[in-house]
Amino acid sequence: MSEHVASRSPRAMAWARRRTAFARFAREFSRSRSGMVGLVFLVVIVTLAFLAPILAPAWMLDVTKVMDSPRFAPPSWEHPLGTDHQGRELWVRMLWGAQVSLLVGFAATAMSMIIGTIVGIAAGHFTGIPGALLMRLIDFFLVLPSLILAIVLSTVLSRGVWTIVIAIGLTSWAGTARVVRSQTLSVESRDYVERSRVLGAGHWHIIVKHLLPAVLPLVLANTTLTVGSAIISESTLAFLGLGDTTLQSWGAVLRNSMDVSAATSGYWWYVLVPGIAIVLVVLAFTLVGRAVETIVNPTLRSR
């Protein structure tokens, strides 16, 4: 047995440890009822969004091809979620809108996590003037209203999905950077990092081999929580008319309902359907994020 372990390469042993850690993480996550409920709900939503072209062909969004459909039809067996002001089925618009809302949520979160992780590690690892400047940059973005800055960027840049992604990603990374910096400072004081530094390890080696693996669990937990915030931001920008008007999104549906005064005209389904969808998806991401945070944070897990 010992000879077999000794004959294994360091890389194989590292992958074995990662597989063991992932199996332990999956086992602990499966014990969280709220986390599993959120995960199952998200899997269903993502699957429906992926199958939107099959379940609801694009022609169902063409106003010229649904002229016989009644406008503002309330939910019924014939119209499950009701119709909008142009006779289009709301469930069709919600399926296609899920693609855009989830795409923006995941893409903007990925950009935010990458920027926040890089800046946070750099601010915690480098001392002196570089670290101080990076910390002031983090503080600046923390106190700056991110939604207002996102609105400004969306107004200046050309309208489109990727404009919203860039606007949200560039304005929501500071919180992640602060968490990563705190974890980096904690890891920097550990003995194995000090030994690596004494043995001549450079900045790149310490960051890649020691700091990055240590902060990734917190980044993962923060990612699931940030996706919900990004979806809300996308819906807000689309609601304000700063999104791509040629694409469907849940915020665009809410915008259309406001344009026709659906809330005061008795067309309650036009407002409730996209509103409840946004709330449920954000709640699901929050449940998953809290479950992940409980697993990766020893303090929360002990409680």
Side-chain angles (χ1 to χ4, degrees), residues 97-136:
Q99 289 187 340
V100 175
S101 295
L102 292 176
L103 172 64
V104 172
F106 285 120
T109 299
M111 178 181 294
S112 174
M113 292 301 104
I114 292 173
I115 298 175
T117 302
I118 294 175
V119 176
I121 290 179
H125 176 70
F126 295 103
T127 58
I129 296 179
L133 291 177
L134 289 174
M135 195 57 208
R136 298 292 79 77

Side-chain angles (χ1 to χ4, degrees), residues 47-62 65-66 80-82 88-99 248 250:
T47 302
L48 291 176
F50 183 76
L51 297 177
I54 300 175
L55 300 176
W59 66 264
M60 300 182 71
L61 295 173
D62 191 346
K65 296 183 179 180
V66 293
L81 296 180
R88 293 174 294 182
E89 295 285 348
L90 272 186
W91 69 268
V92 175
R93 297 191 64 187
M94 292 303 295
L95 282 182
W96 284 91
Q99 289 187 340
Q248 300 293 329
W250 294 344

Side-chain angles (χ1 to χ4, degrees), residues 232-267:
I232 293 178
S233 299
E234 183 278 330
S235 301
T236 302
L237 294 176
F239 179 78
L240 295 175
L242 300 176
D244 190 345
T245 57
T246 62
L247 297 176
Q248 300 293 329
S249 73
W250 294 344
V253 176
L254 281 175
R255 168 78 180 185
N256 295 152
S257 68
M258 184 194 69
D259 291 339
V260 297
S261 302
T264 57
S265 300
Y267 311 132

